[in-house]
């Protein structure tokens, strides 16, 4: 199979982690006989420096014509002074909207070898965390009207959802649950918000088409609490854009290592953009100490969700598990032990795929 991938390495540690993820990609292609074709493009602060805008048209076009996008991270203190509409984060929002990526998958699980990293270790509740946040990504308050009054003393952000927007993300969540433990927890604020009451109605209706899946509804404040109290209860967490942003950060932290978590932003046709959940970490950029595993695991998600190559995806995930079991740790997950470099971790994974 030919895998045509647009690569947007971005800012900060983006380039170094993407380098390792691409080595993994090459190793997989070699072992399984696939052809890799890469189209490298700029987005984020680095694009602003060259083009005067964070998301140049040519980048969006290149992403549109690829099969999938691999993204590192965007942003950094150098560009923090830019006005809201020009900031590097806008490149991310522009890619999501411009590519129609309404569904964001954020799996969070505890790797056996890393259980000790979780802040929940004292109560042992970290054991068994294996959940998937399905976050609506192109609607809600992120994309409603943002307005400031003429005198600058009042502001409004509109949260809006259509039934169709809720239905398509709900279907993605139930489909995802069918391949997992068949449980969906839909998170909303239906005791206050009208968008949440619509959300609940639609999710209930979609649930009728999935009789094997158990559905429950939870308010977002309770969900935030349950995530630290008893996180192993969750399989698929389905939620709207802003709640998903917040809960997925919380879910990532309870696994003990934000440097481990991949993500996928998808359309219904399988096209997707894949990136680590963490940011560009400008403070450690260029030192060769960042953890490439989140980006490597994003490549595994790409192989599975866009290309349907599950044996290849399993090979990558298994190799990551083995590298961890064999004691490889980058600084973020090393605790008081010794750490290996970004490149050494990438190599450890490649070696275990090639075997
Ligand atoms: C994320 C990030 C983005 C978001 C920011 C950078 C706009 O926090 O991907 O979760 O809020 O969606
Ligand atoms: Mg976020």
């Amino acid at each position: 199979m030919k895998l045509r991938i647009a690569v947007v390495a971005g800012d900060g540690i983006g380039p170094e982690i993407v380098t390792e993820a691409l080595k993994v990609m090459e190793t997989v292609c070699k072992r399984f006989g696939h052809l890799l074709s890469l189209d490298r493009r700029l987005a984020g602060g680095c694009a602003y420096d060259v083009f005067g805008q964070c998301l140049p048209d040519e980048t969006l076009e290149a992403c549109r014509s690829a099969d999938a996008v691999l993204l590192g991270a965007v942003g950094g203190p150098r560009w923090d002074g830019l006005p809201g509409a020009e900031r590097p984060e806008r490149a991310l929002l522009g890619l999501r909207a411009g590519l129609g990526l309404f569904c964001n998958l954020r799996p969070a699980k505890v790797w056996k070898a890393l259980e000790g990293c979780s802040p929940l270790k004292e109560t042992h509740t970290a054991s068994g965390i294996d959940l998937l946040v399905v976050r609506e990504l192109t609607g809600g308050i992120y994309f409603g009207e943002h307005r400031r009054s003429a005198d600058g003393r009042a502001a409004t952000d509109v949260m809006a959802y259509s039934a169709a927007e809720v239905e398509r993300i709900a279907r993605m969540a139930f489909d995802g649950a069918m391949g997992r433990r068949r449980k969906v927890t839909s998170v909303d604020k239906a005791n206050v918000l009208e968008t949440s009451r619509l959300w609940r109605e639609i999710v209930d209706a979609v649930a009728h088409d999935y009789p094997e899946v158990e559905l429950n509804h939870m308010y977002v404040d309770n969900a935030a609490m349950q995530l630290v109290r008893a996180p192993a209860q969750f399989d698929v967490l389905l939620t709207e854009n802003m709640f998903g942003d917040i809960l997925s950060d919380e879910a990532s932290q309870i696994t003990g290592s934000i440097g481990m978590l991949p993500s996928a932003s998808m359309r219904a046709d399988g096209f997707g953009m894949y990136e680590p959940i963490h940011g560009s970490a400008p403070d450690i950029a260029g030192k060769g100490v960042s953890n490439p595993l989140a980006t490597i695991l994003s490549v595994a998600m790409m192989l599975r969700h866009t290309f349907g190559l599950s044996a290849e995806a399993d090979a990558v995930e298994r190799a990551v598990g083995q590298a961890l079991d064999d004691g490889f740790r980058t600084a973020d997950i090393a605790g008081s032990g010794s750490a290996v470099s970004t490149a050494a971790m990438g190599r450890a994974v490649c070696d275990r795929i090639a075997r």
Side-chain angles (χ1 to χ4, degrees), residues 227-261:
L227 265 173
V228 286
R229 198 188 70 82
Q233 71 181 285
F234 295 114
D235 180 20
V236 173
L237 264 170
L238 161 65
T239 193
E240 64 91 48
N241 203 342
M242 184 168 63
F243 297 160
D245 179 40
I246 298 166
L247 293 180
S248 62
D249 263 30
E250 188 186 357
S252 70
Q253 189 53 47
I254 58 172
T255 67
S257 47
I258 191 155
M260 294 293 303
L261 299 188

Side-chain angles (χ1 to χ4, degrees), residues 256-279:
S257 47
I258 191 155
M260 294 293 303
L261 299 188
S263 76
S265 304
M266 317 267 318
R267 290 196 304 242
D269 64 0
F271 180 90
M273 178 164 85
Y274 299 83
E275 56 177 312
I277 260 186
H278 60 71

